[in-house]
Every structure is written in C-alpha cells, then in structure tokens.
C-alpha cells in the first residue's frame, strides 16, 4: 500500500540534477563580471521543465499541486486549509502583485504547509516561468557551515549566491534545529538580503505567533524579534490548522492491519 501524495517521507531529501550545466553547475545562475552580480544562466535558461529540474524540490513533493491537496470544503474543522488553498491560487494568478511579497505558512506538523508551498512554486514555474529554489532550513544552514571546512572546495558565496538571487526561494521549516546566535544571524542576513533586493520568499514554519501550549516556543522566540518583524513586511501570513495527516494515516493503516 503506497503512501498518499501529501505525506512527506523526508523534507530534507534533495536529488541532484542528472546532468549539471557546465556554466552554472546546476544552480541556474552565472556570474556577470561586468555588473559584478549573478544573472540567470544563459545556457540553461528555458521553459518550465528546465526550471523544475533546477528547483531542487524533494522527490516527495515534486508533484505537489493545488488539485492533489486533499481537503474537505464541507468540514468546518478544515476551514483554514480551504482558505489557504484559495489564497495560494489567487497568489499565483495575481503574481507578482507586489514585488517581493511572499507567503508565510504557519501551523502545526502534518497539516500540509510544505505541500502548499511547493504547489505554489510549481504553479509559478509551470504557468509563469518563474525560477524557484527549494531549501530545507536546516539543509541550508548545513550547506553554509560546510563551506568553513578547509577540505571542501565550496565557498560560502557559491552556496548563497543562488539563494540570494533566485526569483522565488522556498524556505521550509524555518526555526527548526537549535536556535543559536549564529543561526539567527545567518538567516537574518539571508532574508534581509532578499528583502532589500525585493525577492520573493515562501516560508513554512511549525512555530506559531500564539502557541497553543504554554510550553511551546513562538516563532519570534525561535528566530528573534528583528527577523519576525521583517517577515511581516516580506510575507503574507497564512494560518493552517487541522489534524496531523501523518498520524491520521498511521492510525488508519494500523486499523486496516488489525
């Protein structure tokens, strides 16, 4: 029995492109020595399929769309999910409404935040040829940290350049992992750079502004006051609440096996 489409197996899985462009090495960007900044790679610039190959979207989510997001419009408990889908559809239709305005999906685990974030990116790539790039928050920080290793051949700029320059960045699970000062400074620098360049960022996070339990941390506590304030300007917030689909599926599977 196969898992349903919306159920992620690993949000950090990233499949490398089978044939990397010799100019941009799969990043989708090349360096312009005259303007001294990155630009879209001329060699591999193309249609939506080329954009999809370079977006680094995990295999579990590559086929995510609004149509295969399972939600019951007649269920009052799923009202926020129905509203979220409608908001994402409108966002794609009107893109770009306001240059640099992104989306911030907030909600507990298993309600479909990553599915909708990727579905939005997939629609932007397919319908409007907008370059997108997916990164799990923890994977991005790890990639930056690995550049400090003298044995690696990667520079911090080579990792961050496409993150800075891509039209739409999907940053999944913001706030996950240990909230050290370095983590906060690094992500603040990345998002501030995109904000100043009026680049669109689509973000998901399990941390809420008003936690349901007094022991839960808020998003502000995880990422800091300054960055949470910046996100109010950068993104339209979409609240999502509902059952944990992963737990619901597990319970149904156990019931069928009993």
């Amino acid at each position: 029995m196969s898992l349903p489409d919306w159920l992620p197996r690993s949000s950090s899985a990233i499949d490398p492109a089978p044939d990397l462009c010799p100019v941009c090495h799969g990043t989708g960007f090349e360096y312009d020595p005259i303007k001294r900044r990155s630009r879209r790679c001329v060699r591999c610039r193309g249609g939506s399929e080329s954009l999809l190959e370079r977006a680094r979207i995990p295999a579990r989510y590559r086929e995510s769309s609004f149509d295969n997001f399972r939600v019951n419009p007649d269920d009052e408990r799923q009202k926020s999910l129905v509203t979220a889908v409608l908001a994402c559809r409108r966002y794609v239709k009107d893109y770009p409404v306001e240059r640099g305005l992104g989306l911030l999906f907030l909600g507990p685990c298993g309600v479909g935040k990553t599915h909708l974030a990727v579905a939005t990116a997939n629609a932007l790539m397919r319908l409007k040829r907008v370059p997108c790039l997916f990164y799990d928050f923890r994977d991005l920080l790890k990639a930056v940290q690995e550049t400090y290793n003298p044995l690696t051949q990667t520079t911090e700029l080579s990792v961050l350049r496409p993150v800075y320059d891509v039209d739409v960045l999907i940053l999944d699970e913001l706030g996950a992992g240990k909230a050290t000062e370095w983590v906060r400074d690094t992500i603040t620098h990345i998002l501030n750079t995109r904000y100043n360049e009026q680049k669109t960022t689509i973000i998901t996070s399990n941390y809420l502004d008003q936690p349901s339990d007094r022991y839960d941390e808020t998003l502000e506590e995880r990422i800091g006051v300054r960055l949470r304030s910046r996100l109010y300007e950068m993104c339209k917030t979409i609240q999502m609440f509902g059952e944990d689909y992963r737990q619901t599926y597990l319970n149904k599977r156990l019931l069928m096996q009993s």
Side-chain angles (χ1 to χ4, degrees):
M1 183 167 142
S2 60
L3 292 176
D5 292 336
W6 45 258
L7 187 60
R9 288 186 173 86
S10 173
S11 60
S12 62
I14 297 177
D15 293 340
D19 298 304
L20 294 182
C21 169
V23 176
C24 69
H25 304 290
T27 66
F29 292 88
E30 60 178 326
Y31 185 68
D32 185 338
I34 298 178
K35 295 184 178 181
R36 296 185 178 181
R37 61 178 300 171
S38 295
R39 65 186 178 192
R40 294 185 199 173
C41 178
V42 176
R43 178 180 177 122
C44 61
R45 184 188 301 166
S48 62
E49 291 305 315
S50 179
L51 293 176
L52 289 166
E53 289 174 3
R54 299 197 303 269
R56 298 172 62 102
I57 293 174
R60 170 52 53 187
Y61 294 104
R62 282 184 193 149
E63 301 304 318
S64 293
S65 70
F66 302 135
D67 291 334
N68 60 27
F69 183 76
R70 299 180 183 180
V71 64
N72 182 3
D74 298 323
D75 188 342
E76 187 66 23
R77 296 171 299 178
Q78 298 188 17
K79 184 177 180 180
S80 68
L81 306 183
V82 174
T83 301
V85 176
L86 293 175
C88 292
R89 287 183 181 272
R90 174 58 62 89
Y91 181 83
V92 172
K93 178 182 177 183
D94 296 341
Y95 182 90
V97 182
E98 179 182 336
R99 189 169 181 183
L101 180 65
L103 299 173
L104 172 61
F105 295 89
L106 297 182
C109 297
V111 294
K113 299 184 299 296
T114 302
H115 183 121
L116 278 189
V118 174
T120 301
N122 282 339
L124 288 173
M125 288 186 284
R126 293 185 185 279
L127 300 177
K128 299 201 170 182
R129 304 295 189 268
V130 180
C132 299
L133 182 66
F134 179 99
Y135 255 111
D136 177 276
F137 175 67
R138 292 157 297 190
D139 287 343
L140 178 55
L141 295 177
K142 183 179 180 181
V144 174
Q145 286 178 321
E146 287 178 348
T147 65
Y148 303 154
N149 185 341
L151 299 179
T152 66
Q153 301 297 314
T154 309
T155 65
E156 183 175 349
L157 183 59
S158 68
V159 171
L160 292 179
R161 183 179 290 156
V163 174
Y164 292 151
D165 293 345
V166 71
D167 290 38
V168 176
L169 173 68
I170 305 96
L171 188 60
D172 196 36
E173 296 201 26
L174 177 65
K178 189 175 180 180
T180 66
E181 195 65 31
W182 178 85
V183 167
R184 290 183 176 181
D185 288 345
T186 301
I187 197 61
T188 297
H189 175 68
I190 290 171
L191 292 179
N192 271 340
T193 300
R194 292 188 59 78
Y195 171 81
N196 291 332
E197 294 298 322
Q198 294 184 297
K199 298 290 187 178
T200 299
T201 308
I202 297 175
I203 300 170
T204 75
S205 180
N206 296 329
Y207 293 93
L208 311 178
D209 290 320
Q210 300 294 332
S212 57
D213 189 285
R214 63 177 179 154
Y215 298 108
D216 290 343
E217 291 183 275
T218 64
L219 180 60
E220 182 178 292
E221 289 171 332
R222 295 296 296 183
I223 65 176
V225 176
R226 287 183 301 162
L227 184 53
R228 181 64 189 100
S229 177
R230 176 68 76 209
L231 292 182
Y232 283 118
E233 297 180 76
M234 290 182 64
C235 302
K236 174 183 177 181
T237 301
I238 296 180
Q239 301 269 5
M240 297 175 65
F241 299 99
E243 296 179 343
D244 185 334
Y245 288 125
R246 301 180 185 95
Q247 185 63 46
T248 300
Y249 174 76
L250 176 61
N251 291 338
K252 288 182 179 179
R253 186 173 62 179
L254 292 175
L255 184 62
M256 293 177 64
Q257 292 175 347
S258 63

